[in-house]
PDB file of all heavy atoms in Angstrom:
ATOM      1  N   PHE A   1      -8.864   6.127   4.512  1.00 93.00           N
ATOM      2  CA  PHE A   1      -8.973   6.224   3.060  1.00 93.00           C
ATOM      3  C   PHE A   1      -8.132   7.380   2.537  1.00 93.00           C
ATOM      4  O   PHE A   1      -8.058   8.439   3.161  1.00 93.00           O
ATOM      5  CB  PHE A   1     -10.444   6.417   2.673  1.00 93.00           C
ATOM      6  CG  PHE A   1     -10.750   6.020   1.261  1.00 93.00           C
ATOM      7  CD1 PHE A   1     -10.271   4.837   0.733  1.00 93.00           C
ATOM      8  CD2 PHE A   1     -11.535   6.834   0.455  1.00 93.00           C
ATOM      9  CE1 PHE A   1     -10.567   4.453  -0.562  1.00 93.00           C
ATOM     10  CE2 PHE A   1     -11.845   6.465  -0.842  1.00 93.00           C
ATOM     11  CZ  PHE A   1     -11.353   5.270  -1.358  1.00 93.00           C
ATOM     12  N   PHE A   2      -7.507   7.179   1.402  1.00 94.00           N
ATOM     13  CA  PHE A   2      -6.621   8.150   0.736  1.00 94.00           C
ATOM     14  C   PHE A   2      -5.323   8.371   1.508  1.00 94.00           C
ATOM     15  O   PHE A   2      -4.713   9.438   1.412  1.00 94.00           O
ATOM     16  CB  PHE A   2      -7.315   9.495   0.515  1.00 94.00           C
ATOM     17  CG  PHE A   2      -8.485   9.436  -0.423  1.00 94.00           C
ATOM     18  CD1 PHE A   2      -9.634  10.181  -0.183  1.00 94.00           C
ATOM     19  CD2 PHE A   2      -8.452   8.641  -1.561  1.00 94.00           C
ATOM     20  CE1 PHE A   2     -10.712  10.135  -1.049  1.00 94.00           C
ATOM     21  CE2 PHE A   2      -9.532   8.589  -2.433  1.00 94.00           C
ATOM     22  CZ  PHE A   2     -10.663   9.341  -2.174  1.00 94.00           C
ATOM     23  N   ALA A   3      -4.893   7.379   2.265  1.00 94.00           N
ATOM     24  CA  ALA A   3      -3.584   7.472   2.912  1.00 94.00           C
ATOM     25  C   ALA A   3      -2.491   7.483   1.841  1.00 94.00           C
ATOM     26  O   ALA A   3      -2.579   6.757   0.857  1.00 94.00           O
ATOM     27  CB  ALA A   3      -3.373   6.294   3.860  1.00 94.00           C
ATOM     28  N   PRO A   4      -1.440   8.303   2.008  1.00 95.00           N
ATOM     29  CA  PRO A   4      -0.392   8.367   0.985  1.00 95.00           C
ATOM     30  C   PRO A   4       0.511   7.146   0.977  1.00 95.00           C
ATOM     31  O   PRO A   4       1.123   6.821  -0.033  1.00 95.00           O
ATOM     32  CB  PRO A   4       0.392   9.626   1.371  1.00 95.00           C
ATOM     33  CG  PRO A   4       0.200   9.734   2.850  1.00 95.00           C
ATOM     34  CD  PRO A   4      -1.201   9.247   3.110  1.00 95.00           C
ATOM     35  N   ARG A   5       0.611   6.481   2.140  1.00 94.00           N
ATOM     36  CA  ARG A   5       1.455   5.289   2.251  1.00 94.00           C
ATOM     37  C   ARG A   5       0.716   4.242   3.074  1.00 94.00           C
ATOM     38  O   ARG A   5      -0.173   4.548   3.848  1.00 94.00           O
ATOM     39  CB  ARG A   5       2.796   5.624   2.912  1.00 94.00           C
ATOM     40  CG  ARG A   5       3.628   6.642   2.162  1.00 94.00           C
ATOM     41  CD  ARG A   5       5.049   6.700   2.719  1.00 94.00           C
ATOM     42  NE  ARG A   5       5.086   7.120   4.117  1.00 94.00           N
ATOM     43  CZ  ARG A   5       6.194   7.114   4.866  1.00 94.00           C
ATOM     44  NH1 ARG A   5       7.331   6.696   4.343  1.00 94.00           N
ATOM     45  NH2 ARG A   5       6.151   7.533   6.114  1.00 94.00           N
ATOM     46  N   LYS A   6       1.110   2.963   2.902  1.00 93.00           N
ATOM     47  CA  LYS A   6       0.536   1.869   3.671  1.00 93.00           C
ATOM     48  C   LYS A   6       1.638   1.163   4.449  1.00 93.00           C
ATOM     49  O   LYS A   6       2.746   0.967   3.936  1.00 93.00           O
ATOM     50  CB  LYS A   6      -0.175   0.872   2.751  1.00 93.00           C
ATOM     51  CG  LYS A   6      -1.351   1.462   1.985  1.00 93.00           C
ATOM     52  CD  LYS A   6      -2.448   1.911   2.934  1.00 93.00           C
ATOM     53  CE  LYS A   6      -3.613   2.552   2.205  1.00 93.00           C
ATOM     54  NZ  LYS A   6      -4.412   1.602   1.432  1.00 93.00           N
ATOM     55  N   TYR A   7       1.309   0.790   5.680  1.00 92.00           N
ATOM     56  CA  TYR A   7       2.269   0.117   6.550  1.00 92.00           C
ATOM     57  C   TYR A   7       2.105  -1.390   6.424  1.00 92.00           C
ATOM     58  O   TYR A   7       0.992  -1.908   6.409  1.00 92.00           O
ATOM     59  CB  TYR A   7       2.038   0.549   8.004  1.00 92.00           C
ATOM     60  CG  TYR A   7       2.990  -0.088   8.993  1.00 92.00           C
ATOM     61  CD1 TYR A   7       4.227   0.497   9.255  1.00 92.00           C
ATOM     62  CD2 TYR A   7       2.664  -1.262   9.643  1.00 92.00           C
ATOM     63  CE1 TYR A   7       5.107  -0.077  10.170  1.00 92.00           C
ATOM     64  CE2 TYR A   7       3.529  -1.854  10.545  1.00 92.00           C
ATOM     65  CZ  TYR A   7       4.757  -1.263  10.807  1.00 92.00           C
ATOM     66  OH  TYR A   7       5.623  -1.832  11.701  1.00 92.00           O
ATOM     67  N   PHE A   8       3.245  -2.101   6.334  1.00 91.00           N
ATOM     68  CA  PHE A   8       3.184  -3.566   6.253  1.00 91.00           C
ATOM     69  C   PHE A   8       4.499  -4.155   6.734  1.00 91.00           C
ATOM     70  O   PHE A   8       5.563  -3.850   6.190  1.00 91.00           O
ATOM     71  CB  PHE A   8       2.902  -4.007   4.814  1.00 91.00           C
ATOM     72  CG  PHE A   8       2.780  -5.498   4.649  1.00 91.00           C
ATOM     73  CD1 PHE A   8       1.753  -6.203   5.256  1.00 91.00           C
ATOM     74  CD2 PHE A   8       3.707  -6.198   3.891  1.00 91.00           C
ATOM     75  CE1 PHE A   8       1.633  -7.574   5.102  1.00 91.00           C
ATOM     76  CE2 PHE A   8       3.606  -7.575   3.734  1.00 91.00           C
ATOM     77  CZ  PHE A   8       2.565  -8.267   4.332  1.00 91.00           C
ATOM     78  N   LEU A   9       4.425  -4.959   7.795  1.00 88.00           N
ATOM     79  CA  LEU A   9       5.576  -5.682   8.330  1.00 88.00           C
ATOM     80  C   LEU A   9       6.782  -4.767   8.582  1.00 88.00           C
ATOM     81  O   LEU A   9       7.904  -5.042   8.166  1.00 88.00           O
ATOM     82  CB  LEU A   9       5.974  -6.819   7.380  1.00 88.00           C
ATOM     83  CG  LEU A   9       4.957  -7.961   7.227  1.00 88.00           C
ATOM     84  CD1 LEU A   9       5.480  -8.997   6.249  1.00 88.00           C
ATOM     85  CD2 LEU A   9       4.667  -8.607   8.579  1.00 88.00           C
ATOM     86  N   GLY A  10       6.523  -3.642   9.255  1.00 87.00           N
ATOM     87  CA  GLY A  10       7.605  -2.790   9.694  1.00 87.00           C
ATOM     88  C   GLY A  10       8.070  -1.728   8.717  1.00 87.00           C
ATOM     89  O   GLY A  10       8.996  -0.978   9.028  1.00 87.00           O
ATOM     90  N   SER A  11       7.442  -1.648   7.528  1.00 90.00           N
ATOM     91  CA  SER A  11       7.868  -0.655   6.542  1.00 90.00           C
ATOM     92  C   SER A  11       6.652   0.013   5.916  1.00 90.00           C
ATOM     93  O   SER A  11       5.540  -0.537   5.924  1.00 90.00           O
ATOM     94  CB  SER A  11       8.717  -1.307   5.442  1.00 90.00           C
ATOM     95  OG  SER A  11       9.876  -1.907   5.974  1.00 90.00           O
ATOM     96  N   TYR A  12       6.888   1.212   5.367  1.00 92.00           N
ATOM     97  CA  TYR A  12       5.851   1.925   4.644  1.00 92.00           C
ATOM     98  C   TYR A  12       6.052   1.745   3.131  1.00 92.00           C
ATOM     99  O   TYR A  12       7.189   1.732   2.654  1.00 92.00           O
ATOM    100  CB  TYR A  12       5.874   3.421   4.979  1.00 92.00           C
ATOM    101  CG  TYR A  12       5.209   3.762   6.291  1.00 92.00           C
ATOM    102  CD1 TYR A  12       5.964   3.949   7.444  1.00 92.00           C
ATOM    103  CD2 TYR A  12       3.823   3.905   6.373  1.00 92.00           C
ATOM    104  CE1 TYR A  12       5.359   4.256   8.654  1.00 92.00           C
ATOM    105  CE2 TYR A  12       3.207   4.222   7.580  1.00 92.00           C
ATOM    106  CZ  TYR A  12       3.976   4.398   8.713  1.00 92.00           C
ATOM    107  OH  TYR A  12       3.374   4.702   9.894  1.00 92.00           O
ATOM    108  N   TYR A  13       4.930   1.623   2.407  1.00 94.00           N
ATOM    109  CA  TYR A  13       4.967   1.448   0.961  1.00 94.00           C
ATOM    110  C   TYR A  13       4.008   2.442   0.305  1.00 94.00           C
ATOM    111  O   TYR A  13       2.954   2.751   0.854  1.00 94.00           O
ATOM    112  CB  TYR A  13       4.568   0.020   0.573  1.00 94.00           C
ATOM    113  CG  TYR A  13       5.473  -1.040   1.167  1.00 94.00           C
ATOM    114  CD1 TYR A  13       5.184  -1.610   2.412  1.00 94.00           C
ATOM    115  CD2 TYR A  13       6.622  -1.449   0.498  1.00 94.00           C
ATOM    116  CE1 TYR A  13       6.010  -2.578   2.965  1.00 94.00           C
ATOM    117  CE2 TYR A  13       7.457  -2.418   1.044  1.00 94.00           C
ATOM    118  CZ  TYR A  13       7.148  -2.980   2.271  1.00 94.00           C
ATOM    119  OH  TYR A  13       7.969  -3.923   2.827  1.00 94.00           O
ATOM    120  N   ASP A  14       4.403   2.907  -0.872  1.00 95.00           N
ATOM    121  CA  ASP A  14       3.555   3.819  -1.621  1.00 95.00           C
ATOM    122  C   ASP A  14       2.177   3.217  -1.825  1.00 95.00           C
ATOM    123  O   ASP A  14       2.048   2.027  -2.148  1.00 95.00           O
ATOM    124  CB  ASP A  14       4.205   4.112  -2.979  1.00 95.00           C
ATOM    125  CG  ASP A  14       3.346   5.010  -3.838  1.00 95.00           C
ATOM    126  OD1 ASP A  14       3.333   6.223  -3.590  1.00 95.00           O
ATOM    127  OD2 ASP A  14       2.682   4.485  -4.750  1.00 95.00           O
ATOM    128  N   THR A  15       1.136   4.008  -1.635  1.00 96.00           N
ATOM    129  CA  THR A  15      -0.234   3.500  -1.684  1.00 96.00           C
ATOM    130  C   THR A  15      -0.562   2.845  -3.023  1.00 96.00           C
ATOM    131  O   THR A  15      -1.183   1.769  -3.064  1.00 96.00           O
ATOM    132  CB  THR A  15      -1.234   4.639  -1.402  1.00 96.00           C
ATOM    133  OG1 THR A  15      -1.157   4.992  -0.018  1.00 96.00           O
ATOM    134  CG2 THR A  15      -2.670   4.221  -1.706  1.00 96.00           C
ATOM    135  N   TYR A  16      -0.180   3.477  -4.115  1.00 96.00           N
ATOM    136  CA  TYR A  16      -0.507   2.911  -5.432  1.00 96.00           C
ATOM    137  C   TYR A  16       0.096   1.519  -5.590  1.00 96.00           C
ATOM    138  O   TYR A  16      -0.601   0.558  -5.931  1.00 96.00           O
ATOM    139  CB  TYR A  16      -0.009   3.828  -6.542  1.00 96.00           C
ATOM    140  CG  TYR A  16      -0.311   3.301  -7.925  1.00 96.00           C
ATOM    141  CD1 TYR A  16      -1.531   3.569  -8.539  1.00 96.00           C
ATOM    142  CD2 TYR A  16       0.615   2.522  -8.613  1.00 96.00           C
ATOM    143  CE1 TYR A  16      -1.824   3.070  -9.809  1.00 96.00           C
ATOM    144  CE2 TYR A  16       0.339   2.015  -9.865  1.00 96.00           C
ATOM    145  CZ  TYR A  16      -0.879   2.292 -10.458  1.00 96.00           C
ATOM    146  OH  TYR A  16      -1.162   1.783 -11.700  1.00 96.00           O
ATOM    147  N   ASN A  17       1.397   1.381  -5.304  1.00 96.00           N
ATOM    148  CA  ASN A  17       2.054   0.083  -5.464  1.00 96.00           C
ATOM    149  C   ASN A  17       1.479  -0.959  -4.511  1.00 96.00           C
ATOM    150  O   ASN A  17       1.273  -2.119  -4.896  1.00 96.00           O
ATOM    151  CB  ASN A  17       3.565   0.228  -5.219  1.00 96.00           C
ATOM    152  CG  ASN A  17       4.232   1.128  -6.241  1.00 96.00           C
ATOM    153  OD1 ASN A  17       3.786   1.225  -7.379  1.00 96.00           O
ATOM    154  ND2 ASN A  17       5.291   1.800  -5.835  1.00 96.00           N
ATOM    155  N   PHE A  18       1.214  -0.551  -3.273  1.00 96.00           N
ATOM    156  CA  PHE A  18       0.685  -1.503  -2.293  1.00 96.00           C
ATOM    157  C   PHE A  18      -0.720  -1.959  -2.686  1.00 96.00           C
ATOM    158  O   PHE A  18      -1.030  -3.157  -2.633  1.00 96.00           O
ATOM    159  CB  PHE A  18       0.661  -0.871  -0.901  1.00 96.00           C
ATOM    160  CG  PHE A  18       0.227  -1.819   0.176  1.00 96.00           C
ATOM    161  CD1 PHE A  18       1.155  -2.618   0.827  1.00 96.00           C
ATOM    162  CD2 PHE A  18      -1.115  -1.938   0.531  1.00 96.00           C
ATOM    163  CE1 PHE A  18       0.751  -3.509   1.811  1.00 96.00           C
ATOM    164  CE2 PHE A  18      -1.527  -2.820   1.513  1.00 96.00           C
ATOM    165  CZ  PHE A  18      -0.590  -3.606   2.161  1.00 96.00           C
ATOM    166  N   ASN A  19      -1.570  -1.010  -3.082  1.00 96.00           N
ATOM    167  CA  ASN A  19      -2.951  -1.361  -3.401  1.00 96.00           C
ATOM    168  C   ASN A  19      -3.040  -2.272  -4.623  1.00 96.00           C
ATOM    169  O   ASN A  19      -3.820  -3.235  -4.637  1.00 96.00           O
ATOM    170  CB  ASN A  19      -3.770  -0.089  -3.652  1.00 96.00           C
ATOM    171  CG  ASN A  19      -4.129   0.613  -2.351  1.00 96.00           C
ATOM    172  OD1 ASN A  19      -3.487   0.403  -1.335  1.00 96.00           O
ATOM    173  ND2 ASN A  19      -5.147   1.433  -2.394  1.00 96.00           N
ATOM    174  N   ILE A  20      -2.266  -1.981  -5.664  1.00 97.00           N
ATOM    175  CA  ILE A  20      -2.284  -2.833  -6.851  1.00 97.00           C
ATOM    176  C   ILE A  20      -1.785  -4.228  -6.496  1.00 97.00           C
ATOM    177  O   ILE A  20      -2.344  -5.245  -6.946  1.00 97.00           O
ATOM    178  CB  ILE A  20      -1.433  -2.218  -7.971  1.00 97.00           C
ATOM    179  CG1 ILE A  20      -2.014  -0.862  -8.403  1.00 97.00           C
ATOM    180  CG2 ILE A  20      -1.372  -3.167  -9.170  1.00 97.00           C
ATOM    181  CD1 ILE A  20      -3.436  -0.912  -8.913  1.00 97.00           C
ATOM    182  N   SER A  21      -0.744  -4.314  -5.664  1.00 97.00           N
ATOM    183  CA  SER A  21      -0.243  -5.626  -5.227  1.00 97.00           C
ATOM    184  C   SER A  21      -1.294  -6.382  -4.437  1.00 97.00           C
ATOM    185  O   SER A  21      -1.432  -7.606  -4.571  1.00 97.00           O
ATOM    186  CB  SER A  21       1.022  -5.448  -4.373  1.00 97.00           C
ATOM    187  OG  SER A  21       2.038  -4.805  -5.106  1.00 97.00           O
ATOM    188  N   PHE A  22      -2.059  -5.664  -3.622  1.00 96.00           N
ATOM    189  CA  PHE A  22      -3.093  -6.323  -2.821  1.00 96.00           C
ATOM    190  C   PHE A  22      -4.214  -6.866  -3.708  1.00 96.00           C
ATOM    191  O   PHE A  22      -4.787  -7.921  -3.414  1.00 96.00           O
ATOM    192  CB  PHE A  22      -3.663  -5.352  -1.783  1.00 96.00           C
ATOM    193  CG  PHE A  22      -4.466  -6.038  -0.714  1.00 96.00           C
ATOM    194  CD1 PHE A  22      -3.834  -6.594   0.384  1.00 96.00           C
ATOM    195  CD2 PHE A  22      -5.845  -6.148  -0.815  1.00 96.00           C
ATOM    196  CE1 PHE A  22      -4.576  -7.239   1.378  1.00 96.00           C
ATOM    197  CE2 PHE A  22      -6.588  -6.794   0.159  1.00 96.00           C
ATOM    198  CZ  PHE A  22      -5.948  -7.347   1.264  1.00 96.00           C
ATOM    199  N   ILE A  23      -4.538  -6.159  -4.788  1.00 97.00           N
ATOM    200  CA  ILE A  23      -5.549  -6.658  -5.726  1.00 97.00           C
ATOM    201  C   ILE A  23      -5.090  -7.988  -6.331  1.00 97.00           C
ATOM    202  O   ILE A  23      -5.877  -8.930  -6.474  1.00 97.00           O
ATOM    203  CB  ILE A  23      -5.829  -5.626  -6.821  1.00 97.00           C
ATOM    204  CG1 ILE A  23      -6.500  -4.389  -6.236  1.00 97.00           C
ATOM    205  CG2 ILE A  23      -6.727  -6.226  -7.919  1.00 97.00           C
ATOM    206  CD1 ILE A  23      -6.687  -3.259  -7.230  1.00 97.00           C
ATOM    207  N   TRP A  24      -3.803  -8.082  -6.664  1.00 97.00           N
ATOM    208  CA  TRP A  24      -3.283  -9.345  -7.217  1.00 97.00           C
ATOM    209  C   TRP A  24      -3.258 -10.438  -6.164  1.00 97.00           C
ATOM    210  O   TRP A  24      -3.441 -11.627  -6.481  1.00 97.00           O
ATOM    211  CB  TRP A  24      -1.905  -9.117  -7.821  1.00 97.00           C
ATOM    212  CG  TRP A  24      -1.992  -8.421  -9.143  1.00 97.00           C
ATOM    213  CD1 TRP A  24      -1.859  -7.081  -9.391  1.00 97.00           C
ATOM    214  CD2 TRP A  24      -2.291  -9.019 -10.414  1.00 97.00           C
ATOM    215  NE1 TRP A  24      -2.053  -6.818 -10.722  1.00 97.00           N
ATOM    216  CE2 TRP A  24      -2.304  -7.970 -11.382  1.00 97.00           C
ATOM    217  CE3 TRP A  24      -2.532 -10.323 -10.827  1.00 97.00           C
ATOM    218  CZ2 TRP A  24      -2.560  -8.211 -12.728  1.00 97.00           C
ATOM    219  CZ3 TRP A  24      -2.784 -10.576 -12.170  1.00 97.00           C
ATOM    220  CH2 TRP A  24      -2.795  -9.531 -13.103  1.00 97.00           C
TER     221      TRP A  24
END
């Protein structure tokens, strides 16, 4: 929890952008 970045398919993404995309 509160990780600054999220890993997905070989790349890191900013947590805010990744989390909002996951909600959609």
